[in-house]
Amino acid sequence: MDAYQYVKERIISGHYQSGERLTEVMLANELEVSRTPVRSALQQLEFDGLVTPLAKGYVVSSFSKEDIQEIYQIRALLEGHAAFEAALNRTEQHIEVLKSANEQFMQYVKHTIAQPDEANMEKIVYFNKQFHDCVNDASGNSYLKKHIEQVVILPLVYRSFYWYDQYELKRSFEAHEAILKAIEARRPERAKSAVQEHIYNALDHILEHIGEE
C-alpha cells in the first residue's frame, strides 16, 4: 500500500482522529519510507480535504455542520447528474451490476439484523459503495466521477452507515431499488431525483446523529 492510501485509510477508519497532528517524520517512520512519498501523500490528502496544513506539518481536518451540509449539497448535485446521464448511457452490464450489488446489500442487512456483526456491516458498506460507483461509471463521464470521489469521502470519514438501524438500512435498499428502476427504464429525471432524495435523507441522518453527540 502506498503512503497516500495508507494515511487515507487510517483517517477514514478513525485511527487518526480529527484535530490530530501529522508530520512527515512521524509518518515516514511509521511507514518505513523516505519523507518524499509522505510529502506527496499529504499534499494529495490536503487536496481531498482530509488534512489541513499547519506552519509545520498537518492536522486531520474537522468538519462543522455547515461544512457537512455544503458537501452533501454538492454531492447531491453531482451524483444526481451522474444518475441522469447513467439513465441515458447505461448498458445491460451496468444494470446487472446494480442488481447484484443491491441484492448483496440486502442479504447482509438481513444477516446484520439476525446477528449484528462488524464484518457484516463492512460488507454492507462495500456493496453500497459498489452500487453508487456503478451508477457513476454508467454515466460515462470520467470528469464527473473524479469530482464525486472527493465528496464521498466525508460519509466514509464519519462511518455514517454504522449509525443506521434496521429501518434505515432497509430504506437505503428501497432507495437503491428506485434508482435502479429509473436507470433501467431510461428515465433520467426520475433517476436524478431518486439519487438526490437518497443523499438528502443521508444528510438528515448524519446531522441528527451529530446533534446527539
Side-chain angles (χ1 to χ4, degrees), residues 143-160:
Y143 293 101
L144 186 59
K145 283 173 56 183
K146 288 179 182 178
H147 288 297
I148 290 171
E149 285 170 5
Q150 283 185 270
V151 295
V152 298
I153 286 176
L154 182 63
L156 294 176
V157 170
Y158 277 96
R159 295 168 69 83
S160 53

Side-chain angles (χ1 to χ4, degrees), residues 3 24-25 27-29 31-40:
E24 290 179 14
V25 173
L27 294 172
N29 289 337
L31 280 159
E32 298 182 343
V33 297
S34 72
R35 292 170 61 178
T36 301
V38 170
R39 185 179 305 116
S40 176

Side-chain angles (χ1 to χ4, degrees), residues 63-109:
F63 299 95
S64 67
K65 282 191 174 183
E66 290 73 21
D67 293 331
I68 293 167
Q69 287 175 310
E70 290 175 2
I71 291 168
Y72 267 80
Q73 286 166 0
I74 294 169
R75 184 184 171 196
L77 288 171
L78 294 176
E79 290 201 51
H81 186 64
F84 183 98
E85 292 197 12
L88 299 174
N89 300 321
R90 61 76 171 174
T91 65
E92 288 303 316
Q93 184 176 4
H94 288 126
I95 298 301
E96 290 306 313
V97 172
L98 290 171
K99 288 180 177 178
S100 175
N102 211 31
E103 286 170 3
Q104 292 290 328
F105 177 94
M106 192 58 197
Q107 284 301 314
Y108 282 102
V109 168

